[in-house]
Amino acid sequence: MLPLDPQAEIGRRAWVACPGCDDARGCTVCTERRTCPEHWRYLLSHTGSLLHLQCPSCTHIWTHETGFGATRSHWTRASDV
């Protein structure tokens, strides 16, 4: 298990499903796509529409393309890490 990233702070959060543990599966609040008080992710940083996240449950770190704002073209879009 990885330690929390030094950039992780509770004030910067995102609500994206974790590909590492899928801890939000079956959560009614998350299923309704509302802001869940339990299943949030640390927003470590972002570049345009690309988010760098860490799950507080399993400490998995990954990159998520939101598709909002300054997105990358299909050919230059970063894949999940």
Side-chain angles (χ1 to χ4, degrees):
M1 196 173 202
L2 295 170
L4 282 179
D5 187 279
Q7 297 296 320
E9 62 179 77
I10 198 164
R12 294 179 5 180
R13 297 180 284 177
W15 284 264
V16 177
C18 175
C21 68
D22 196 21
D23 62 345
R25 181 178 295 212
C27 174
T28 305
V29 177
C30 292
T31 302
E32 294 173 354
R33 299 182 57 98
R34 294 185 296 158
T35 305
C36 181
E38 294 181 39
H39 304 115
W40 51 270
R41 315 300 167 209
Y42 288 110
L43 174 60
L44 302 177
S45 64
H46 68 89
T47 304
S49 61
L50 195 63
L51 307 180
H52 306 286
L53 305 163
Q54 184 171 29
C55 177
S57 298
C58 71
T59 66
H60 179 71
I61 295 175
W62 76 102
T63 302
H64 175 76
E65 172 64 63
T66 65
F68 293 112
T71 59
R72 286 141 209 64
S73 72
H74 175 70
W75 299 109
T76 60
R77 195 173 282 173
S79 61
D80 285 350
V81 176

Coordinates of all heavy atoms in Angstrom, one line a residue:
M1 N 0.8 -1.2 0.0 CA 0.0 0.0 0.0 C 0.9 1.2 0.0 O 1.8 1.4 0.8 CB -0.9 0.0 1.2 CG -2.1 0.9 1.2 SD -3.1 0.5 2.6 CE -4.6 1.1 2.1
L2 N 0.6 2.1 -0.9 CA 1.4 3.4 -1.0 C 1.0 4.4 0.1 O -0.2 4.4 0.5 CB 1.1 4.1 -2.4 CG 1.5 3.4 -3.6 CD1 1.0 4.1 -4.8 CD2 3.0 3.3 -3.7
P3 N 1.9 5.2 0.5 CA 1.5 6.3 1.5 C 0.8 7.4 0.7 O 0.8 7.4 -0.5 CB 2.9 6.8 2.0 CG 3.8 6.5 0.9 CD 3.3 5.2 0.2
L4 N 0.1 8.2 1.4 CA -0.6 9.3 0.8 C 0.4 10.3 0.2 O 1.5 10.5 0.8 CB -1.5 10.1 1.8 CG -2.8 9.5 2.2 CD1 -3.5 10.3 3.2 CD2 -3.6 9.2 0.9
D5 N 0.1 10.8 -1.0 CA 1.0 11.7 -1.7 C 1.1 13.0 -0.8 O 0.1 13.4 -0.2 CB 0.4 12.0 -3.0 CG 1.3 12.9 -3.9 OD1 1.3 14.1 -3.7 OD2 1.9 12.3 -4.7
P6 N 2.2 13.7 -0.8 CA 2.3 14.9 0.0 C 1.4 16.0 -0.5 O 1.1 16.9 0.2 CB 3.8 15.4 -0.3 CG 4.5 14.2 -0.8 CD 3.5 13.3 -1.4
Q7 N 0.9 15.9 -1.8 CA 0.0 16.9 -2.3 C -1.5 16.6 -1.9 O -2.4 17.4 -2.2 CB 0.0 16.9 -3.9 CG 1.4 17.3 -4.4 CD 1.7 18.8 -4.1 OE1 0.8 19.6 -4.1 NE2 2.9 19.0 -3.7
A8 N -1.7 15.5 -1.3 CA -3.1 15.1 -0.9 C -3.6 16.0 0.3 O -2.9 16.0 1.4 CB -3.1 13.7 -0.5
E9 N -4.7 16.7 0.1 CA -5.3 17.4 1.2 C -6.8 17.4 1.0 O -7.3 17.4 -0.1 CB -4.8 18.9 1.2 CG -5.1 19.7 -0.1 CD -4.6 21.1 0.0 OE1 -3.4 21.3 -0.1 OE2 -5.4 22.0 0.2
I10 N -7.5 17.3 2.1 CA -8.9 17.0 2.1 C -9.7 18.2 1.5 O -10.8 18.0 1.0 CB -9.4 16.7 3.5 CG1 -10.8 16.1 3.5 CG2 -9.4 18.0 4.4 CD1 -11.3 15.4 4.7
G11 N -9.1 19.4 1.4 CA -9.8 20.5 0.8 C -9.9 20.4 -0.7 O -10.6 21.2 -1.3
R12 N -9.1 19.6 -1.3 CA -9.1 19.4 -2.8 C -9.5 18.0 -3.1 O -8.7 17.0 -3.0 CB -7.7 19.7 -3.4 CG -7.3 21.1 -3.2 CD -5.9 21.4 -3.7 NE -5.3 20.3 -4.4 CZ -4.1 20.4 -4.9 NH1 -3.4 21.5 -4.9 NH2 -3.5 19.4 -5.6
R13 N -10.8 17.8 -3.5 CA -11.4 16.5 -3.7 C -12.1 16.4 -5.0 O -12.4 17.4 -5.6 CB -12.4 16.2 -2.6 CG -11.7 16.1 -1.2 CD -12.7 15.8 -0.2 NE -13.5 17.0 0.1 CZ -14.5 17.0 1.0 NH1 -14.9 15.9 1.6 NH2 -15.2 18.1 1.2
A14 N -12.2 15.2 -5.5 CA -13.0 14.9 -6.7 C -13.8 13.6 -6.4 O -13.5 12.8 -5.6 CB -12.0 14.6 -7.8
W15 N -14.9 13.5 -7.2 CA -15.8 12.3 -7.0 C -15.7 11.5 -8.3 O -16.5 11.7 -9.2 CB -17.2 12.8 -6.7 CG -17.3 13.2 -5.2 CD1 -17.7 12.4 -4.2 CD2 -16.9 14.4 -4.7 NE1 -17.6 13.1 -3.0 CE2 -17.1 14.4 -3.3 CE3 -16.3 15.6 -5.2 CZ2 -16.8 15.4 -2.4 CZ3 -16.1 16.7 -4.3 CH2 -16.3 16.5 -2.9
V16 N -14.8 10.6 -8.4 CA -14.5 9.7 -9.5 C -14.3 8.3 -9.0 O -13.7 8.1 -8.0 CB -13.2 10.2 -10.3 CG1 -13.0 9.3 -11.5 CG2 -13.4 11.6 -10.8
A17 N -14.9 7.3 -9.7 CA -14.7 5.9 -9.2 C -13.3 5.5 -9.3 O -12.5 5.8 -10.2 CB -15.5 5.0 -10.1
C18 N -12.8 4.9 -8.2 CA -11.4 4.4 -8.1 C -11.3 3.1 -8.9 O -12.0 2.1 -8.6 CB -11.0 4.2 -6.7 SG -9.4 3.5 -6.5
P19 N -10.4 3.0 -9.8 CA -10.1 1.8 -10.6 C -9.4 0.7 -9.8 O -9.3 -0.4 -10.1 CB -9.3 2.2 -11.8 CG -8.6 3.5 -11.3 CD -9.5 4.1 -10.4
G20 N -8.8 1.2 -8.6 CA -8.1 0.2 -7.8 C -8.9 -0.6 -6.9 O -8.7 -1.8 -6.8
C21 N -9.9 0.0 -6.2 CA -10.7 -0.7 -5.2 C -12.2 -0.7 -5.4 O -12.9 -1.5 -4.9 CB -10.4 -0.2 -3.8 SG -11.0 1.5 -3.5
D22 N -12.7 0.2 -6.3 CA -14.1 0.3 -6.5 C -14.9 0.3 -5.2 O -16.0 -0.4 -5.1 CB -14.6 -0.8 -7.5 CG -15.9 -0.6 -8.1 OD1 -16.3 0.6 -8.2 OD2 -16.6 -1.5 -8.5
D23 N -14.5 1.1 -4.2 CA -15.2 1.1 -2.9 C -16.5 1.7 -3.0 O -17.3 1.5 -2.1 CB -14.3 1.8 -1.9 CG -14.0 3.3 -2.3 OD1 -14.2 3.7 -3.4 OD2 -13.5 4.0 -1.4
A24 N -16.9 2.5 -4.0 CA -18.2 3.1 -4.1 C -19.3 2.2 -4.7 O -20.4 2.6 -4.7 CB -18.1 4.4 -4.9
R25 N -18.9 1.0 -5.1 CA -19.9 0.1 -5.7 C -21.0 -0.2 -4.7 O -20.8 -0.5 -3.5 CB -19.2 -1.2 -6.1 CG -20.2 -2.2 -6.7 CD -19.5 -3.5 -7.1 NE -18.6 -3.1 -8.1 CZ -18.3 -3.9 -9.1 NH1 -18.7 -5.1 -9.2 NH2 -17.4 -3.5 -10.0
G26 N -22.2 0.0 -5.1 CA -23.4 -0.3 -4.3 C -23.8 0.9 -3.4 O -24.8 0.8 -2.7
C27 N -23.1 2.0 -3.4 CA -23.4 3.2 -2.6 C -24.5 3.9 -3.4 O -24.4 4.3 -4.5 CB -22.2 4.1 -2.5 SG -22.5 5.7 -1.7
T28 N -25.6 4.1 -2.6 CA -26.8 4.8 -3.2 C -26.5 6.2 -3.6 O -26.9 6.6 -4.7 CB -28.0 4.8 -2.2 OG1 -28.2 3.5 -1.8 CG2 -29.2 5.4 -2.8
V29 N -25.8 6.9 -2.8 CA -25.4 8.3 -3.1 C -24.6 8.4 -4.4 O -24.8 9.2 -5.3 CB -24.7 9.0 -1.9 CG1 -24.3 10.4 -2.3 CG2 -25.6 9.0 -0.7
C30 N -23.6 7.6 -4.5 CA -22.7 7.6 -5.7 C -23.5 7.1 -6.9 O -23.2 7.6 -8.0 CB -21.5 6.6 -5.5 SG -20.4 7.3 -4.2
T31 N -24.4 6.1 -6.8 CA -25.2 5.7 -7.9 C -26.0 6.8 -8.5 O -26.2 6.9 -9.7 CB -26.0 4.5 -7.5 OG1 -25.2 3.4 -7.0 CG2 -26.8 3.9 -8.7
E32 N -26.5 7.7 -7.6 CA -27.3 8.8 -8.0 C -26.4 10.0 -8.5 O -27.0 11.0 -8.8 CB -28.2 9.2 -6.9 CG -29.3 8.2 -6.5 CD -30.0 8.5 -5.3 OE1 -29.7 9.5 -4.6 OE2 -31.0 7.8 -5.0
R33 N -25.1 9.8 -8.6 CA -24.1 10.8 -9.0 C -24.2 12.1 -8.2 O -24.1 13.2 -8.7 CB -24.3 11.0 -10.5 CG -24.1 9.7 -11.3 CD -24.2 10.0 -12.8 NE -23.2 11.0 -13.3 CZ -22.0 10.7 -13.8 NH1 -21.6 9.5 -14.0 NH2 -21.3 11.7 -14.2
R34 N -24.4 11.9 -6.9 CA -24.4 13.0 -6.0 C -23.0 13.1 -5.3 O -22.3 12.1 -5.3 CB -25.5 12.9 -5.0 CG -26.9 13.0 -5.6 CD -28.0 13.1 -4.6 NE -28.1 11.8 -3.9 CZ -28.6 11.6 -2.7 NH1 -29.2 12.7 -2.1 NH2 -28.6 10.5 -2.1
T35 N -22.7 14.1 -4.6 CA -21.5 14.3 -3.8 C -21.5 13.5 -2.6 O -22.2 13.9 -1.6 CB -21.2 15.8 -3.5 OG1 -21.3 16.5 -4.7 CG2 -19.9 16.0 -2.9
C36 N -20.9 12.3 -2.6 CA -20.9 11.4 -1.5 C -19.9 11.8 -0.4 O -18.7 12.1 -0.7 CB -20.6 10.0 -2.0 SG -20.6 8.7 -0.7
P37 N -20.3 11.8 0.9 CA -19.3 12.2 1.9 C -18.3 11.2 2.2 O -17.3 11.4 2.9 CB -20.2 12.5 3.1 CG -21.4 11.6 2.9 CD -21.6 11.6 1.4
E38 N -18.5 9.9 1.7 CA -17.5 8.8 2.0 C -16.6 8.5 0.8 O -15.5 8.1 1.1 CB -18.3 7.6 2.4 CG -19.1 7.7 3.7 CD -19.8 6.5 4.1 OE1 -19.2 5.4 3.8 OE2 -20.9 6.6 4.5
H39 N -17.1 8.6 -0.4 CA -16.4 8.0 -1.5 C -15.8 9.2 -2.4 O -16.3 9.3 -3.5 CB -17.3 7.1 -2.3 CG -17.8 6.0 -1.5 ND1 -19.1 5.8 -1.2 CD2 -17.1 5.0 -0.9 CE1 -19.3 4.8 -0.5 NE2 -18.1 4.2 -0.2
W40 N -14.9 9.9 -1.9 CA -14.3 11.0 -2.7 C -12.8 10.6 -2.9 O -12.3 9.7 -2.3 CB -14.4 12.3 -1.9 CG -14.0 12.2 -0.5 CD1 -14.8 11.9 0.6 CD2 -12.7 12.4 0.0 NE1 -14.1 11.9 1.7 CE2 -12.7 12.2 1.4 CE3 -11.4 12.7 -0.5 CZ2 -11.6 12.3 2.3 CZ3 -10.3 12.8 0.3 CH2 -10.5 12.6 1.7
R41 N -12.1 11.3 -3.7 CA -10.7 11.1 -4.0 C -9.9 12.4 -3.8 O -10.4 13.5 -4.0 CB -10.5 10.6 -5.5 CG -11.5 9.6 -5.9 CD -11.4 8.3 -5.1 NE -12.5 7.5 -5.5 CZ -13.1 6.6 -4.6 NH1 -12.6 6.5 -3.4 NH2 -14.1 5.9 -5.0
Y42 N -8.7 12.2 -3.4 CA -7.8 13.4 -3.4 C -7.5 13.9 -4.8 O -7.1 13.1 -5.6 CB -6.5 13.1 -2.7 CG -6.6 12.9 -1.2 CD1 -6.4 11.6 -0.6 CD2 -6.8 13.9 -0.3 CE1 -6.5 11.4 0.7 CE2 -6.9 13.7 1.0 CZ -6.7 12.4 1.6 OH -6.8 12.2 2.9
L43 N -7.7 15.2 -5.0 CA -7.3 15.8 -6.3 C -5.8 16.3 -6.1 O -5.6 17.3 -5.4 CB -8.2 16.9 -6.6 CG -7.9 17.8 -7.9 CD1 -7.8 16.9 -9.1 CD2 -8.9 18.9 -8.1
L44 N -4.9 15.6 -6.6 CA -3.5 15.9 -6.4 C -3.1 17.1 -7.2 O -2.4 18.0 -6.8 CB -2.6 14.7 -6.7 CG -2.9 13.5 -5.8 CD1 -2.0 12.3 -6.3 CD2 -2.7 13.7 -4.4
S45 N -3.5 17.1 -8.5 CA -3.2 18.2 -9.4 C -4.0 18.0 -10.7 O -4.7 17.0 -10.8 CB -1.7 18.2 -9.8 OG -1.3 17.1 -10.5
H46 N -4.0 19.0 -11.5 CA -4.7 18.9 -12.8 C -4.0 19.7 -13.9 O -3.3 20.7 -13.5 CB -6.2 19.3 -12.7 CG -6.3 20.7 -12.4 ND1 -6.4 21.7 -13.4 CD2 -6.4 21.4 -11.3 CE1 -6.6 22.9 -12.9 NE2 -6.5 22.8 -11.6
T47 N -4.2 19.3 -15.1 CA -3.7 20.0 -16.2 C -4.8 20.0 -17.2 O -5.1 19.0 -17.8 CB -2.4 19.3 -16.9 OG1 -1.4 19.1 -15.9 CG2 -1.9 20.1 -18.0
G48 N -5.5 21.2 -17.4 CA -6.6 21.2 -18.2 C -7.7 20.3 -17.7 O -8.1 20.3 -16.6
S49 N -8.1 19.4 -18.6 CA -9.1 18.4 -18.2 C -8.6 17.1 -17.7 O -9.3 16.2 -17.3 CB -10.0 18.1 -19.5 OG -9.2 17.5 -20.5
L50 N -7.3 17.0 -17.5 CA -6.6 15.8 -17.0 C -6.4 15.9 -15.5 O -5.7 16.8 -15.0 CB -5.3 15.6 -17.7 CG -4.6 14.3 -17.6 CD1 -5.5 13.2 -18.2 CD2 -3.3 14.3 -18.2
L51 N -7.1 15.0 -14.7 CA -6.9 15.0 -13.2 C -6.0 14.0 -12.8 O -6.0 12.8 -13.3 CB -8.3 14.8 -12.6 CG -9.5 15.6 -13.0 CD1 -10.7 15.2 -12.3 CD2 -9.2 17.1 -12.8
H52 N -5.2 14.3 -11.7 CA -4.3 13.3 -11.1 C -4.9 13.1 -9.7 O -5.0 14.0 -8.9 CB -2.9 13.9 -11.0 CG -2.4 14.3 -12.4 ND1 -2.0 13.4 -13.3 CD2 -2.2 15.5 -12.9 CE1 -1.6 14.0 -14.4 NE2 -1.8 15.3 -14.2
L53 N -5.3 11.8 -9.4 CA -6.1 11.5 -8.3 C -5.4 10.4 -7.4 O -4.6 9.6 -7.9 CB -7.5 11.0 -8.7 CG -8.3 12.0 -9.6 CD1 -9.4 11.2 -10.3 CD2 -8.8 13.1 -8.8
Q54 N -5.8 10.4 -6.1 CA -5.4 9.3 -5.2 C -6.6 9.0 -4.4 O -7.3 9.8 -3.8 CB -4.2 9.7 -4.3 CG -3.8 8.6 -3.5 CD -2.5 8.8 -2.8 OE1 -2.1 10.0 -2.4 NE2 -1.7 7.8 -2.5
C55 N -6.8 7.7 -4.2 CA -7.9 7.1 -3.4 C -7.5 7.1 -2.0 O -6.4 6.5 -1.7 CB -8.3 5.7 -3.9 SG -9.6 5.0 -3.0
P56 N -8.3 7.7 -1.0 CA -7.9 7.6 0.4 C -8.1 6.2 1.0 O -7.5 5.8 2.0 CB -8.8 8.6 1.0 CG -10.0 8.8 0.1 CD -9.5 8.5 -1.2
S57 N -8.9 5.3 0.3 CA -9.1 4.0 0.8 C -8.0 3.0 0.5 O -7.5 2.4 1.4 CB -10.4 3.4 0.2 OG -11.5 4.2 0.6
C58 N -7.6 3.0 -0.7 CA -6.5 2.0 -1.1 C -5.2 2.7 -1.5 O -4.3 2.0 -1.8 CB -7.0 1.1 -2.3 SG -7.2 2.0 -3.8
T59 N -5.2 4.0 -1.5 CA -4.0 4.9 -1.9 C -3.6 4.7 -3.4 O -2.5 5.2 -3.7 CB -2.8 4.7 -0.9 OG1 -2.3 3.4 -1.1 CG2 -3.2 5.0 0.5
H60 N -4.4 4.1 -4.2 CA -4.1 4.0 -5.6 C -4.1 5.4 -6.3 O -4.9 6.2 -6.0 CB -5.2 3.2 -6.3 CG -5.0 3.0 -7.8 ND1 -4.0 2.2 -8.3 CD2 -5.7 3.5 -8.8 CE1 -4.1 2.2 -9.6 NE2 -5.1 3.0 -10.0
I61 N -3.1 5.6 -7.1 CA -2.9 6.9 -7.8 C -3.1 6.6 -9.3 O -2.6 5.6 -9.9 CB -1.5 7.4 -7.6 CG1 -1.3 7.8 -6.1 CG2 -1.2 8.7 -8.5 CD1 0.1 8.2 -5.8
W62 N -3.9 7.5 -10.0 CA -4.2 7.3 -11.4 C -4.5 8.7 -12.0 O -4.7 9.7 -11.3 CB -5.3 6.3 -11.6 CG -6.7 6.8 -11.3 CD1 -7.7 7.2 -12.2 CD2 -7.4 6.9 -10.1 NE1 -8.8 7.6 -11.6 CE2 -8.7 7.4 -10.3 CE3 -7.0 6.7 -8.8 CZ2 -9.6 7.6 -9.2 CZ3 -7.9 6.9 -7.7 CH2 -9.1 7.4 -8.0
T63 N -4.6 8.7 -13.3 CA -5.0 9.9 -14.1 C -6.3 9.7 -14.7 O -6.6 8.6 -15.2 CB -3.9 10.1 -15.2 OG1 -2.6 10.2 -14.5 CG2 -4.2 11.4 -16.0
H64 N -7.2 10.7 -14.7 CA -8.5 10.6 -15.2 C -8.8 11.8 -16.2 O -8.6 13.0 -15.8 CB -9.5 10.7 -14.1 CG -10.9 10.7 -14.5 ND1 -11.6 9.6 -15.0 CD2 -11.8 11.7 -14.6 CE1 -12.8 9.9 -15.3 NE2 -13.0 11.2 -15.1
E65 N -9.2 11.5 -17.4 CA -9.5 12.5 -18.4 C -11.0 12.8 -18.3 O -11.9 11.9 -18.4 CB -9.2 12.0 -19.8 CG -9.7 12.9 -20.9 CD -9.1 14.2 -21.0 OE1 -7.8 14.3 -21.2 OE2 -9.8 15.2 -20.8
T66 N -11.4 14.1 -17.9 CA -12.7 14.4 -17.7 C -13.5 14.7 -18.9 O -14.7 14.6 -19.0 CB -12.8 15.7 -16.8 OG1 -12.3 16.8 -17.5 CG2 -12.2 15.5 -15.5
G67 N -12.8 15.2 -20.0 CA -13.5 15.6 -21.2 C -14.0 17.0 -21.2 O -14.6 17.4 -22.1
F68 N -13.9 17.7 -20.1 CA -14.3 19.1 -19.9 C -13.2 20.0 -20.2 O -12.1 19.7 -19.9 CB -14.9 19.3 -18.5 CG -16.1 18.6 -18.2 CD1 -16.1 17.6 -17.2 CD2 -17.3 18.8 -18.8 CE1 -17.2 16.9 -16.9 CE2 -18.4 18.1 -18.5 CZ -18.4 17.1 -17.5
G69 N -13.5 21.2 -20.8 CA -12.6 22.2 -21.0 C -11.6 21.9 -22.1 O -11.9 21.4 -23.1
A70 N -10.3 22.2 -21.8 CA -9.2 22.1 -22.7 C -8.8 20.6 -22.9 O -7.8 20.2 -22.3 CB -8.0 22.9 -22.3
T71 N -9.6 19.8 -23.6 CA -9.3 18.4 -23.8 C -8.2 18.2 -24.8 O -7.9 19.0 -25.7 CB -10.5 17.6 -24.2 OG1 -11.0 18.1 -25.4 CG2 -11.6 17.7 -23.1
R72 N -7.6 17.0 -24.8 CA -6.6 16.7 -25.8 C -7.3 16.0 -26.9 O -8.4 15.4 -26.8 CB -5.6 15.7 -25.2 CG -4.6 16.3 -24.2 CD -4.4 15.4 -23.0 NE -4.1 16.0 -21.8 CZ -4.9 16.8 -21.1 NH1 -6.1 17.2 -21.5 NH2 -4.5 17.4 -20.0
S73 N -6.7 16.0 -28.1 CA -7.3 15.3 -29.2 C -7.2 13.8 -29.0 O -6.4 13.4 -28.1 CB -6.5 15.7 -30.5 OG -5.3 15.1 -30.5
H74 N -7.9 13.0 -29.8 CA -7.8 11.6 -29.7 C -6.4 11.0 -29.7 O -6.0 10.1 -29.1 CB -8.7 10.9 -30.7 CG -8.6 9.4 -30.7 ND1 -9.2 8.7 -29.7 CD2 -8.0 8.5 -31.6 CE1 -8.9 7.4 -30.0 NE2 -8.2 7.3 -31.1
W75 N -5.5 11.7 -30.5 CA -4.2 11.2 -30.8 C -3.2 11.6 -29.7 O -2.2 10.9 -29.5 CB -3.7 11.6 -32.1 CG -4.5 11.1 -33.2 CD1 -5.4 11.9 -34.0 CD2 -4.7 9.8 -33.6 NE1 -6.1 11.1 -34.8 CE2 -5.6 9.8 -34.7 CE3 -4.1 8.6 -33.2 CZ2 -6.0 8.6 -35.3 CZ3 -4.5 7.4 -33.9 CH2 -5.5 7.4 -34.9
T76 N -3.5 12.6 -28.9 CA -2.6 13.1 -27.9 C -3.1 12.9 -26.5 O -2.5 13.3 -25.5 CB -2.2 14.6 -28.1 OG1 -3.4 15.4 -28.0 CG2 -1.5 14.8 -29.4
R77 N -4.3 12.3 -26.4 CA -4.9 12.1 -25.1 C -4.1 11.1 -24.2 O -3.8 10.0 -24.7 CB -6.3 11.7 -25.2 CG -7.2 11.8 -24.0 CD -8.6 11.5 -24.3 NE -9.2 12.6 -25.0 CZ -10.4 12.7 -25.5 NH1 -11.1 11.6 -25.5 NH2 -10.8 13.8 -26.1
A78 N -3.8 11.4 -23.0 CA -3.1 10.5 -22.1 C -4.0 9.4 -21.7 O -5.2 9.6 -21.4 CB -2.6 11.3 -20.9
S79 N -3.5 8.2 -21.6 CA -4.2 7.0 -21.1 C -4.1 6.9 -19.6 O -3.2 7.5 -19.0 CB -3.8 5.8 -21.8 OG -2.4 5.5 -21.5
D80 N -5.0 6.2 -19.0 CA -4.9 6.0 -17.5 C -3.7 5.3 -17.2 O -3.2 4.4 -17.9 CB -6.1 5.1 -17.1 CG -7.4 5.9 -17.0 OD1 -7.3 7.1 -17.2 OD2 -8.5 5.3 -16.8
V81 N -3.1 5.7 -16.0 CA -1.9 5.1 -15.5 C -2.2 4.0 -14.6 O -3.1 4.0 -13.9 CB -1.0 6.2 -14.9 CG1 0.2 5.6 -14.3 CG2 -0.7 7.3 -15.9

